[in-house]
Amino acid sequence: MPANIPDIVIGRLPVYLRALTRLAAEGHEITSSHELGQRLGISSAQIRKDLSHFGGFGKQGTGYQIAFLIEQLRTVLRVNQEWEVALVGAGDLGSALAHYRGFGDRGFNIACIFDSAPNKIGKKIGSFTVQPMSDIQHTIQERGIKIAMIAVPAEVAQEVADQLIAAGVRAILNYAPMNLNVPSNVRVQYIDPVVQMQRMTYYL
Amino acid sequence: MPANIPDIVIGRLPVYLRALTRLAAEGHEITSSHELGQRLGISSAQIRKDLSHFGGFGKQGTGYQIAFLIEQLRTVLRVNQEWEVALVGAGDLGSALAHYRGFGDRGFNIACIFDSAPNKIGKKIGSFTVQPMSDIQHTIQERGIKIAMIAVPAEVAQEVADQLIAAGVRAILNYAPMNLNVPSNVRVQYIDPVVQMQRMTYYL
DNA sequence: TAGATTGTTAATCGATTAACAATC
DNA sequence: TAGATTGTTAATCGATTAACAATC
């Protein structure tokens, strides 16, 4: 495993992986840094440089074997295995996430759903039964779950995060519109559609 | 309006705005670049530098009046007005977005919903009636809508984007797991939870 | 062989940080 | 006045790009 890869490079690999998977679905077998860069709107040099951190995946004069490169990136990102994911929050968003079919084939499986509302606990969402928050510690620890999605109101998101971390979670995808305070060994990614729209209105 | 602000700076302003709104909700009236930086996990120097692109919003020795800074940032980002947003896709995700209460108070209102499935067209989602895709051009043009959210399968996302852009949309929030090709006068932001989880598994 | 594209180095470009005078 | 914090400059740091030898 190469050391000290910049985080910004790691951040682009999933986007490369997604584009390569799409190219493969379209029937391509080989691509080049130039073609991939065109699709993604970034320079070919950046793609070659990013990939070169992990080894020489291409062939001069030819380019990259798509299936091979996909496999390599999946290995680097550690998504050549299935990760179990805990979901907290069984409202509109939580339900939509629970029903979303796009996780499984890209390395993730929702394994359990938690909510605090008594009228939701015990209900079925897809194939899952909503569990009470008090189950978090036990279920997550027992199953060794390391990844969680938070889909609860902002007011309780920090509290939920604290519980998840105490139970062993080390990666959080936070849908609540607020910043989380977490120890340095825990990673957080944020999804806030309003923030992303506010990044565009400036230019309108 | 100051010229040529780096995009990376614009990208942080909504996060500042969100944190400030939260501080205000907690009853604070004044904050400092240091306090804000602590909350967000970034340096105080960066916050001061970012804000200084748009003017001197603080006072030496005191810090920033939160209400005033919120108002300034809302003006800079142009979210001191309400933007009408078109939503394409009335599946699980589209429905969840239509029901989400968090848009209105942060500058955005969903104004119309489109889907292609005959069994969805005409149905009510919240207070909206799902319209057929063929209405896109007319409705968006008539209402002067500039922002759209795409919540359709990846296979049709590019086609939907093309239609939206032809109708006058200039900012797209894309939930479909694929890259969109758009003209340079159109901005796109992406939400793909799998990409964001794949950015974390590398470190687990 | 000729053409194409990689992997890599060095140069450029841009962003972050440290430091401090200004000033509330 | 003394203490605190801004706005800004200059220095540092890191990321992107251009260019090309290597080589398929």
Side-chain angles (χ1 to χ4, degrees):
Chain A
M1 186 79 72
N4 271 356
I5 311 292
D7 186 58
I8 198 163
V9 172
I10 301 300
R12 281 191 292 261
L13 300 186
V15 178
Y16 297 168
L17 179 56
R18 189 176 64 182
L20 288 163
T21 306
R22 183 130 205 100
L23 277 166
E26 289 172 13
H28 295 71
E29 295 196 344
I30 286 177
T31 190
S32 65
S33 59
H34 183 73
E35 182 181 42
L36 202 52
Q38 283 236 315
R39 290 230 176 185
L40 297 176
I42 62 184
S43 78
S44 61
Q46 180 159 85
I47 291 174
R48 292 198 301 279
K49 186 125 215 289
D50 285 351
L51 296 178
S52 74
H53 282 105
F54 306 95
F57 297 144
K59 278 203 171 51
Q60 285 102 326
T62 310
Y64 301 89
Q65 204 77 28
I66 291 173
F68 175 74
L69 186 50
I70 287 174
E71 206 38 49
Q72 296 302 308
L73 287 181
R74 283 164 52 88
T75 303
V76 167
L77 291 172
R78 307 188 59 212
V79 290
N80 55 346
Q81 64 181 101
E82 291 282 328
W83 294 90
E84 291 202 322
V85 179
L87 170 59
V88 187
D92 284 320
L93 177 58
S95 299
L97 289 170
H99 286 122
Y100 181 53
R101 304 250 156 251
F103 288 123
D105 54 342
R106 296 168 74 194
F108 303 92
N109 274 315
I110 291 177
C112 46
I113 305 182
F114 303 95
D115 202 296
S116 61
N119 64 318
K120 284 194 188 124
I121 294 164
K123 272 208 176 162
K124 282 268 182 190
I125 296 187
S127 55
F128 307 99
T129 303
V130 177
Q131 298 178 249
M133 295 289 210
S134 51
D135 280 8
I136 285 182
Q137 173 76 23
H138 178 256
T139 303
I140 286 182
Q141 214 157 47
E142 186 178 62
R143 306 185 66 155
I145 291 175
K146 296 292 170 212
I147 307 175
M149 298 191 289
I150 293 181
V152 301
E155 292 71 33
V156 293
Q158 181 65 57
E159 188 189 330
V160 166
D162 293 342
Q163 285 183 57
L164 290 167
I165 293 164
V169 164
R170 290 292 171 266
I172 294 174
L173 184 58
N174 180 31
Y175 280 88
M178 69 163 303
N179 268 79
L180 295 178
N181 254 238
V182 302
S184 64
N185 65 336
V186 176
R187 303 196 74 89
V188 185
Q189 292 273 318
Y190 296 90
I191 291 185
D192 184 343
V194 177
V195 160
Q196 296 195 244
M197 288 198 287
Q198 289 179 341
R199 283 176 179 156
M200 300 192 283
T201 45
Y202 175 82
Y203 299 97
L204 288 178
Chain B
M1 184 80 73
N4 271 354
I5 311 293
D7 186 57
I8 199 164
V9 172
I10 300 301
R12 281 191 292 260
L13 298 187
V15 178
Y16 298 168
L17 179 55
R18 188 176 64 183
L20 288 163
T21 306
R22 184 130 205 97
L23 277 166
E26 288 172 14
H28 295 72
E29 295 195 345
I30 287 176
T31 189
S32 66
S33 58
H34 182 73
E35 181 181 43
L36 201 52
Q38 283 235 312
R39 289 231 176 184
L40 297 174
I42 64 185
S43 76
S44 62
Q46 179 159 86
I47 291 173
R48 291 198 302 278
K49 186 124 213 291
D50 285 351
L51 296 178
S52 74
H53 283 105
F54 305 95
F57 296 144
K59 279 203 172 52
Q60 285 101 325
T62 310
Y64 301 90
Q65 204 76 28
I66 292 175
F68 175 75
L69 185 51
I70 287 176
E71 207 36 51
Q72 296 301 308
L73 288 181
R74 283 165 53 88
T75 303
V76 166
L77 291 172
R78 306 187 60 209
V79 290
N80 54 346
Q81 63 180 101
E82 291 282 327
W83 294 90
E84 291 202 324
V85 178
L87 169 59
V88 187
D92 283 321
L93 177 59
S95 300
L97 289 171
H99 287 121
Y100 181 53
R101 305 249 156 252
F103 289 124
D105 54 342
R106 295 168 74 193
F108 303 92
N109 273 315
I110 293 178
C112 47
I113 305 181
F114 303 95
D115 202 296
S116 61
N119 65 318
K120 284 192 189 129
I121 294 165
K123 273 208 175 163
K124 281 267 181 190
I125 296 188
S127 55
F128 308 100
T129 304
V130 177
Q131 299 178 249
M133 294 288 209
S134 52
D135 280 8
I136 285 182
Q137 174 76 23
H138 178 256
T139 303
I140 286 182
Q141 216 158 46
E142 187 177 61
R143 307 185 64 155
I145 291 175
K146 296 293 170 212
I147 306 175
M149 298 191 288
I150 294 182
V152 301
E155 294 71 33
V156 293
Q158 181 66 57
E159 189 190 329
V160 166
D162 294 343
Q163 286 182 57
L164 290 167
I165 292 165
V169 163
R170 291 293 171 266
I172 293 174
L173 183 59
N174 180 31
Y175 281 88
M178 68 162 305
N179 267 80
L180 296 177
N181 255 237
V182 302
S184 64
N185 65 337
V186 176
R187 302 196 75 89
V188 185
Q189 292 273 317
Y190 296 89
I191 290 185
D192 184 344
V194 176
V195 160
Q196 295 195 243
M197 287 198 288
Q198 289 179 341
R199 283 177 179 155
M200 299 192 285
T201 46
Y202 174 83
Y203 300 97
L204 287 180

